[in-house]
Amino acid sequence: MKTFNLDHLETFVRVIQAGSFSAAAEKLGLTQPAVSLQIRQIEKKLGTALIERVGRRARPTAAGSELLEHASRIDDAVSSAVESVARHASDAIGHVRLGTDNTVTIFLLPPVLGALRRRYPNLQITVSTGNAADIVKAVEENQIDLAFATLPASGRALEVTPVIDDPIVAIAPPDMPLPHRLTAANLARLPLLLSQPGSAGRRITDRWFARGEATVNPAMSLGSAEAIKAMAIAGLGCGILPEMAIGKEGREKFVVRPLSPPLKRTMGVVIRKDKRLSKGLKETYDALLGLGRR
């Protein structure tokens, strides 16, 4: 066992998952000859063939299938051992790079990150804000570790987990008359304050209006929910934004009404499938998933 190379085992798993040596090499950042050499070495060590070609795909042999069953348990055992040892290092918790939008940063993250920092004082967290498409792209390119973003999000390298549904609502100053039912047609007649074009929130809103066969010409397109609220308070129009962005104080300043039919945005955690979870990243990831259980 002392000469069994765990990196070679990971390479074997990646080849089976990807279905080819070249695809596995690309994901591992290795050349194809290097991947082939590692497979030959592990096969030599175990004394049997582990991979065979079936058409254009690399498939496990019978022996390879058995090794594959053990591989995840081996990885879990090694990760557990490393995690246990890491607790003895004061700086082992690590640095986490999280991407999300301004609304989540202001209204959802503070208690989550506060609880994490109380448990792990040495945990360093950098929060980057932006639109959903840019944040998800940053995860895919490994510029940040994970994102809490408006879905859908797609990418072959990504694992996407829906966590919460956030209703989209209308807000208006108390003296603005609103129709009884806030349908797309009724809202389209009002001076509207919407998110800027290209944002995830605006795409969701535009699709809702399109389903209601209403043409929208907003009075203002704004870059943040905070700006929409400020303009609504100033009496400049009726805003459409996530309910999360209103906050307790906001309900005292303007009228909040649901849309008809109801509209929501789904938010979730986005992370690379091959991302190695440090202690700090795993705790942050679990904390974000836990928002769906509240």
Side-chain angles (χ1 to χ4, degrees), residues 122-198:
N122 293 317
L123 175 61
Q124 298 179 32
I125 301 177
T126 298
V127 180
S128 302
T129 58
N131 64 52
D134 290 341
I135 290 296
V136 170
K137 183 179 179 182
V139 173
E140 195 162 23
E141 295 178 351
N142 210 33
Q143 295 172 1
I144 59 176
D145 298 311
L146 76 169
F148 194 79
T150 301
L151 305 182
S154 61
R156 290 186 300 175
L158 300 178
E159 179 177 313
V160 180
T161 307
V163 176
I164 62 170
D165 287 330
D166 185 19
I168 307 296
V169 298
I171 62 170
D175 59 351
M176 175 178 283
L178 291 176
H180 178 66
R181 293 180 67 240
L182 294 186
T183 63
N186 288 338
L187 277 172
R189 301 187 187 100
L190 302 176
L192 291 177
L193 310 171
L194 301 181
S195 303
Q196 61 188 5

Side-chain angles (χ1 to χ4, degrees), residues 23-38:
E26 182 178 350
K27 289 187 176 182
L28 290 165
L30 301 172
T31 64
Q32 184 173 336
V35 169
S36 298
L37 176 61
Q38 290 188 15

Side-chain angles (χ1 to χ4, degrees), residues 101 103-104 150 164-166 168 204 242 244 264-267:
D101 63 33
T103 299
V104 170
T150 301
I164 62 170
D165 287 330
D166 185 19
I168 307 296
I204 292 171
M244 180 194 302
K264 66 181 181 181
R265 66 170 181 168
T266 298
M267 304 202 71

